[in-house]
Each structure stands twice: as C-alpha cells, then as structure tokens.
Amino acid sequence: MDFQTLVDAQGMAAAVLSVEKTDDGYYGDIRIVRANEMYKQIMGEGYHDNMIYSELIPKEPNFEDFCFRCAVNKQHLHAYVDTKSMGVWTDGTYIPLSPEVDDGNICHLLFFFEFTKAPDSARMSNISTETAHLVIQTCINLRGAENFYESMDTVVGDIQKNTQAFSACIFMIDTEKRKFAPLCAKYSVENVSIDDFRPYLTDDVVFSWEETLRNRDALIIKNEHDLAELEKINPIWAKSLRDAKVQNVILVPLSQGKKMFGVLFITNFNIEKIIDLKEFVELTAFFLSSEIANNALMEKLEYLSNVDSLTGVRNRNSMNARVDQHVSKEQIVHAPFGVIFADLNGLKQCNDSGGHEEGDKLLKKAAKLLKKYFDDKEIYRSGGDEFVVIVPNCEKADFEAKVAALKAESAYGAEVCFAIGSDWSSNEADLRRCMHVADEAMYADKNEFYRMHPENRRK
C-alpha cells in the first residue's frame, strides 16, 4: 500500500502509524511512518518519516494504548481528549489498516485528527449510546440530590457500579497548603472505608499525582506492564499500589482551568470494557470538575458574606439570617437556649494608644476567648466591638456556669475585658426576647464599668 497517497487523500491532518507488537503481547516502538502536509505543518520542523512519535510530542500512554488496540487488535476507535501537553483538545480517529499491509510484528493504522482550543460540546457528545446514558444519569444525579454532598455520594456510587470497580473515590487536594482529604468514596464490599487504605495514601503518594498527571487527560493502569511503566516515573506510587494489591487503576484530574484541585480515583475495575470506561470516566470527571468548582465558589461567597474576616466568627448578616431562620422555623435554635451579649471594653483606648493594628489584635483575642467557652458556629461579631453568642440545647446551670467563668476571665484588668449580659429560656418562642434582655443587661454592665472606671469612657 502506498501510505503517502493514503494520507494525502485525507481532508484533515493524517498519518499512518506503525506499532511494534512484542512477544509478550504488548507493544514496543510506535512510529509515524508517513504524514500529509497538514500533519507536518502542525507538528513543525522536527518531523521526519519513520520517526518514533515521542520524539515529536510527549509520551502519552493512553494514546499508545489506543494505537495498539487499533493496529494490533484491529479496533476502530475515536477519542476527544484534553491534550494538556499541547494546550488543546484533540479529536482523534483511529482506523486499523488491513492485516495484508502489516509486516510481521509491525502493524499499521491510519490516524487523523483536528484540534480545538476549548472543549466542543458537539464533539464531546459524539459518544456511544450506552456511555451517553450513563453520563446523562450522572448529570441528573449531580443536580437531583438535596445538597452537594449527597449528590457527590450518589455520583461516586454510580461510578463504582458502572465501572464494576472495587472502589471509586474523590480526593480534594491543595498542593500549596499540602493538604488533602477524601470528599466521598464507595466500595463494592461492605465494612470497608477509606481509613483502611490510609497507610498507602501518604503525603508523598498523593502529592505526586499532580506531576504524574501534568500532561495527561487521565492515567490508566491496566496491568503489570503499565505498572512497570508507572514505576519508571513514579516509583513511590507504584510501590504503594503493589502494597495495596491494586491490580488496575484510573486516575483522572479534577481541574478548573489549569489548576488541579482534586482527582477521581478508581481501583480494580472491569478491564474488559476499558475503552467505554475511559470515555465515561473522563466525561464524568469533566462535569464533576464543574460542579465541585461551582460549589467551592458558592461556599466561598457564603463564607465571605457570613464570616467576619478579622476574627473568623460569624458577622451581623449571619446573625440576622440565623434569627430569621428561627422565626420562620426553617432552622430553629433548639430550646433550652441561652443568649450572651458581650461588648469589648477598652477597644478605643487600644486603637488610640497602639493604632488599629493593636485594636485588631485585641478583637481577635476577644473572639478567641469566646471560642474557648462556646461553639464558634454560634458566635457573631454584631458590631465594631460587640459580640453575640447563641447557645442552643443548654441546661440553665451549665449555661450560667460558663457565663460566670467568662465574666471571671474577662473582668477589669484582664487583657480582654468584656461588659456582659445574658438570658436563658426553655421556650423556643423567646429568642428575640432573650436577645433584648441580654442586650439591656450588657448595657447595664457597661454603664457600671464606666461608673467604676470613668477614665475608660469613650469620648
């Protein structure tokens, strides 16, 4: 067959590739035998006939696997993938050439492709009916649950079942802060949890994933041959997989733009359906990335709108919303409950003598003292030097003992000095009344403080 004539007849960038079939059933060199002018222009001056493809572009195991399956197993394949090493999406088609053109252990395929700068919805939807059904089901479940974490749990359960895997997990990873945590996980057997695998998920293993995935849309380890290849670039993780008796694994990055914030991690899946599974998992990861990134943004916006950035406790907006939720019975403050109003004494004098930096330090110390005695989820900075604490589900004696301890630690002469008012009730309808009583008591305590120490009175 005239390979040059074949590729020149294609209407897009095309090349005939050869795959060396090895005696152990795997593959050796993959070469670009012939290419048309469009292919050569895209690849640049480094191209020459019969070159090993990895001399031109970074080595890509998933691409190699597709070439092997096409050329040797004579499978007609298609893939639309994020080619991270080139900063584009590649729509590639793999067509096996007749065994008659093969030469002993050298098999051939026709590969042609187009690039898109961004993911194209029409190309992404060009998938099998079975895969489309699974992906649509996943998208519905992403939106169908009552909250984000329920939807993640459902979707990971779907992934585990659809891939027939032992486990499917999502890990959130912050490489800058050197922190990681599982978001959700599902297993094919009962009485198994992520804690059983903690010894294998060390910092060195987890924080090596980003570099391993840097130029890949996914990493797929199908067998010992692939694991041996992984060992060349990431020996720590390869050893961890062997120690954990993982036979095969899919690792897909979850990203926003070029920043990876997590991974989808699947172990011991049904290897016989690898082509369909790769398509399903990568598309699912695309939608998961979008959903997780959107939720992270919403949580950040909610945090910024409800948390006092200086002290870390909740702000007045959050307090007002909490009271409204209680009144509307959307989220009640369970009785019996107590309310504390605490006004920081001496903040103005601190600002005057040491500047606002010292005043900010005093406010932080005030919030820390309140956290010492009460759950910080219900501590609010309601004004410049004013704090409110709502204490649900508390018995009167326990509440009064904590208030007394707080007063003792924040009395005159202490680094943090509070004027404090409080009230307690066993009636859920009394929240606003309790807040009013506690507020009045705090102002009475404040006036008494100024009567006893007039030098601290605000000007």
Side-chain angles (χ1 to χ4, degrees):
M1 179 180 287
D2 185 345
F3 291 147
Q4 192 63 55
T5 299
L6 175 63
V7 294
D8 288 343
Q10 307 305 315
M12 61 181 69
V16 169
L17 308 179
S18 68
V19 178
E20 179 186 14
K21 181 174 62 174
T22 59
D23 293 338
D24 58 3
Y26 296 109
Y27 56 85
D29 291 341
I30 298 177
R31 295 179 178 273
I32 308 171
V33 181
R34 294 289 186 275
N36 63 12
E37 285 303 315
M38 193 178 304
Y39 188 102
K40 294 175 183 178
Q41 288 176 9
I42 291 173
M43 293 304 171
E45 296 180 356
Y47 173 84
H48 60 83
D49 291 344
N50 290 312
M51 69 184 301
I52 295 176
Y53 91 95
S54 56
E55 296 175 4
L56 197 60
I57 61 175
K59 191 176 178 65
E60 172 48 66
N62 294 335
F63 171 74
E64 293 180 0
D65 183 62
F66 268 49
C67 289
F68 172 79
R69 291 174 181 276
C70 179
V72 177
N73 298 339
K74 302 304 178 184
Q75 293 178 266
H76 188 140
L77 301 172
H78 170 264
Y80 183 56
V81 298
D82 183 4
T83 310
K84 297 182 183 298
S85 62
M86 302 178 71
V88 295
W89 284 70
T90 303
D91 189 350
T93 301
Y94 306 71
I95 300 176
L97 297 184
S98 170
E100 296 176 0
V101 305
D102 294 340
D103 182 13
N105 66 336
I106 304 298
C107 305
H108 297 85
L109 72 142
L110 173 65
F111 173 67
F112 53 89
F113 68 90
E114 288 183 317
F115 287 151
T116 63
K117 287 293 185 181
D120 182 285
S121 59
R123 296 174 192 264
M124 293 186 75
S125 61
N126 184 19
I127 55 179
S128 68
T129 302
E130 181 181 0
T131 300
H133 170 75
L134 296 177
V135 173
I136 291 171
Q137 182 184 54
T138 297
C139 291
I140 291 173
N141 287 332
L142 278 173
R143 293 293 182 177
E146 291 186 1
N147 64 59
F148 170 76
Y149 296 98
E150 284 183 9
S151 69
M152 289 296 108
D153 200 53
T154 299
V155 167
V156 167
D158 289 343
I159 293 171
Q160 182 270 317
K161 287 186 291 185
N162 292 336
T163 58
Q164 299 174 27
F166 169 74
S167 69
C169 315
I170 292 177
F171 287 92
M172 303 302 293
I173 302 172
D174 188 330
T175 53
E176 294 179 359
K177 296 180 180 179
R178 295 287 291 181
K179 292 182 179 181
F180 71 93
L183 177 62
C184 49
K186 287 292 182 179
Y187 301 89
S188 61
V189 297
E190 297 181 355
N191 301 321
V192 174
S193 75
I194 194 68
D195 292 334
D196 297 320
F197 302 95
R198 293 285 187 184
Y200 311 107
L201 296 168
T202 64
D203 287 4
D204 288 341
V205 168
V206 173
F207 292 115
S208 73
W209 290 342
E210 184 171 20
E211 180 61 32
T212 302
L213 288 167
R214 185 170 300 280
N215 293 320
R216 303 179 183 183
D217 57 321
L219 178 71
I220 301 178
I221 305 296
K222 305 179 295 299
N223 45 43
E224 179 58 34
H225 175 268
D226 292 346
L227 192 55
E229 291 296 311
L230 175 67
E231 195 167 27
K232 295 176 183 178
I233 61 173
N234 193 335
I236 294 175
W237 186 28
K239 181 181 185 303
S240 170
L241 292 173
R242 287 197 173 99
D243 291 345
K245 295 181 171 53
V246 173
Q247 299 169 352
N248 50 61
V249 63
I250 300 176
L251 188 73
V252 188
L254 302 175
S255 308
Q256 184 178 33
K258 295 183 178 181
K259 181 177 177 59
M260 188 185 91
F261 57 76
V263 295
L264 173 60
F265 186 85
I266 302 168
T267 64
N268 295 355
F269 55 89
N270 183 359
I271 194 68
E272 295 179 2
K273 301 180 68 177
I274 183 60
I275 298 298
D276 291 336
L277 291 185
K278 180 179 185 296
E279 193 172 55
F280 163 67
V281 169
E282 289 177 352
L283 274 173
T284 299
F286 179 82
F287 291 111
L288 278 173
S289 294
S290 177
E291 191 72 12
I292 293 172
N294 181 64
N295 181 74
L297 175 61
M298 294 303 294
E299 287 187 343
K300 184 175 182 179
L301 290 174
E302 182 178 359
Y303 178 87
L304 291 174
S305 64
N306 289 286
V307 174
D308 176 54
S309 59
L310 176 64
T311 62
V313 300
R314 295 178 180 268
N315 60 21
R316 186 178 187 85
N317 176 60
S318 181
M319 182 185 73
N320 291 337
R322 182 73 171 103
V323 175
D324 290 343
Q325 288 172 343
H326 174 81
V327 172
S328 67
K329 300 189 183 304
E330 180 182 346
Q331 187 178 359
I332 63 173
V333 177
H334 293 287
F337 56 74
V339 176
I340 301 161
F341 273 61
D343 190 283
L344 182 60
N345 292 320
L347 179 61
K348 183 179 186 303
Q349 289 75 12
C350 183
N351 284 331
D352 290 345
S353 61
H356 285 284
E357 182 177 345
E358 291 302 313
D360 289 348
K361 289 180 181 178
L362 182 59
L363 284 166
K364 290 177 183 178
K365 291 175 182 177
K368 184 178 180 180
L369 179 59
L370 292 172
K371 291 176 187 179
K372 176 180 177 179
Y373 291 99
F374 304 103
D375 183 354
D376 63 357
K377 292 180 181 177
E378 294 281 8
I379 300 174
Y380 306 88
R381 184 183 174 197
S382 59
D385 53 6
E386 296 177 356
F387 295 85
V388 174
V389 185
I390 299 174
V391 189
N393 291 319
C394 64
E395 296 301 322
K396 186 174 184 179
D398 291 339
F399 174 71
E400 290 180 345
K402 286 186 177 182
V403 172
L406 175 63
K407 284 184 176 181
E409 191 167 348
S410 62
Y412 179 72
E415 184 177 26
V416 174
C417 178
F418 279 130
I420 294 174
S422 65
D423 194 35
W424 178 92
S425 177
S426 60
N427 186 348
E428 288 179 353
D430 280 352
L431 179 60
R432 282 181 168 166
R433 184 195 65 79
C434 280
M435 294 181 74
H436 176 73
V437 171
D439 189 29
E440 290 292 319
M442 182 272 289
Y443 275 108
D445 192 34
K446 190 82 171 179
N447 288 333
E448 179 63 15
F449 172 82
Y450 287 141
R451 188 184 69 80
M452 297 291 295
H453 310 285
E455 70 279 5
N456 288 297
R457 182 174 293 276
R458 296 170 178 168
K459 304 299 182 184

